[in-house]
């Protein structure tokens, strides 16, 4: 579902990409992978089960598609046509309430070549969430996110500029 959402939104180099509930960084990584494929000389089509799956089955992608007409795939590439890697790195933003999730997200991004993403531990729903004025005023061209999956906020701590009366994070 993440890959489909990223493909539909179609982020590009130069977009600022933000996930306010980043978790392990899945949306950010999928967005980076999408951009890398866009800026590759020869992007590859890969089944969602991975290249190893094809090898274990002893099939080519064409053969697998013939056997499974609804086989889902995604494109991947090295991104060798990206003119400025620093621009890509500087365009990735994410926040999460969990210190452990931020560590995992940063590690995942580093493993995908993004060592300077702008990740921050913060609660975007709370007045006391750790966001600066710069954070609150920053504009993004792409926002991709799953809602937080658990938790309640005290009503008095919910940001006043959010249009909701709910205390549930999602």
């Amino acid at each position: 579902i993440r890959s489909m959402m990223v493909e539909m939104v179609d982020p590009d180099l130069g977009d600022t990409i933000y996930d306010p509930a980043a978790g392990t960084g899945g949306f950010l990584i999928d967005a980076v992978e999408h951009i890398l494929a866009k800026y590759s000389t020869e992007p590859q089509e890969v089944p969602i089960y991975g290249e190893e799956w094809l090898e274990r089955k002893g099939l080519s992608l064409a053969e697998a598609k013939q056997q499974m007409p609804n086989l889902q795939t995604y494109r991947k590439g090295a991104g060798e046509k990206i003119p400025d890697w620093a621009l890509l790195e500087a365009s990735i933003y994410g926040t999460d309430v969990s210190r452990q999730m931020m560590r995992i997200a940063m590690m995942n991004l580093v493993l995908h070549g993004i060592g300077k993403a702008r990740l921050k531990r913060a609660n975007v729903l709370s007045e006391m969430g750790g966001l600066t004025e710069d954070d609150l005023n920053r504009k993004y061209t792409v926002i991709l996110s799953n809602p937080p999956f658990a938790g309640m906020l005290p009503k008095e701590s919910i940001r006043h500029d959010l249009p909701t009366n709910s205390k549930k994070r999602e």
Side-chain angles (χ1 to χ4, degrees):
I1 292 174
R2 279 192 336 244
S3 294
M4 177 202 61
M5 289 173 66
V6 168
E7 193 170 318
M8 289 175 67
V9 173
D10 192 24
D12 205 349
L13 187 63
D15 282 335
T16 49
I17 302 165
Y18 178 53
D19 185 345
T24 61
F27 267 117
L28 299 174
I29 290 165
D30 284 353
V32 167
E33 292 291 327
H34 179 82
I35 293 168
L36 291 178
K38 267 178 125 169
Y39 286 84
S40 292
T41 305
E42 296 180 30
Q44 296 176 297
E45 187 177 8
V46 179
I48 61 168
Y49 307 117
E51 295 162 294
E52 301 82 17
W53 176 80
L54 279 177
E55 290 172 16
R56 282 194 306 273
K57 294 264 188 196
L59 298 172
S60 69
L61 181 60
E63 293 167 333
K65 281 182 162 184
Q66 195 171 26
Q67 286 182 13
M68 300 173 66
N70 295 327
L71 178 66
Q72 294 178 333
T73 62
Y74 67 96
R75 292 174 1 124
K76 81 177 212 181
E80 71 277 0
K81 292 173 19 180
I82 291 178
D84 183 2
W85 193 264
L87 175 62
L88 177 61
E89 285 189 309
S91 69
I92 305 299
Y93 293 82
T95 53
D96 201 276
V97 297
S98 167
R99 179 174 279 117
Q100 290 83 1
M101 287 296 115
M102 285 287 87
R103 287 179 181 151
I104 293 169
M106 182 54 82
M107 178 193 66
N108 281 339
L109 285 161
V110 166
L111 290 172
H112 285 84
I114 306 296
K116 295 181 182 169
R118 296 174 177 163
L119 299 183
K120 182 176 190 171
R121 182 174 174 243
N123 185 341
V124 297
L125 302 176
S126 175
E127 289 286 351
M128 302 161 273
L131 296 173
T132 65
E133 279 300 311
D134 285 343
D135 295 329
L136 293 170
N137 293 323
R138 188 175 296 113
K139 305 290 184 206
Y140 304 97
T141 52
V142 174
I143 298 175
L144 294 159
S145 191
N146 284 317
F149 292 110
M152 298 279 277
L153 290 171
K155 188 169 179 107
E156 61 277 0
S157 75
I158 297 173
R159 285 180 29 202
H160 298 293
D161 59 340
L162 295 177
T164 185
N165 291 324
S166 176
K167 296 185 291 184
K168 294 182 179 180
R169 286 185 181 170
E170 63 273 12

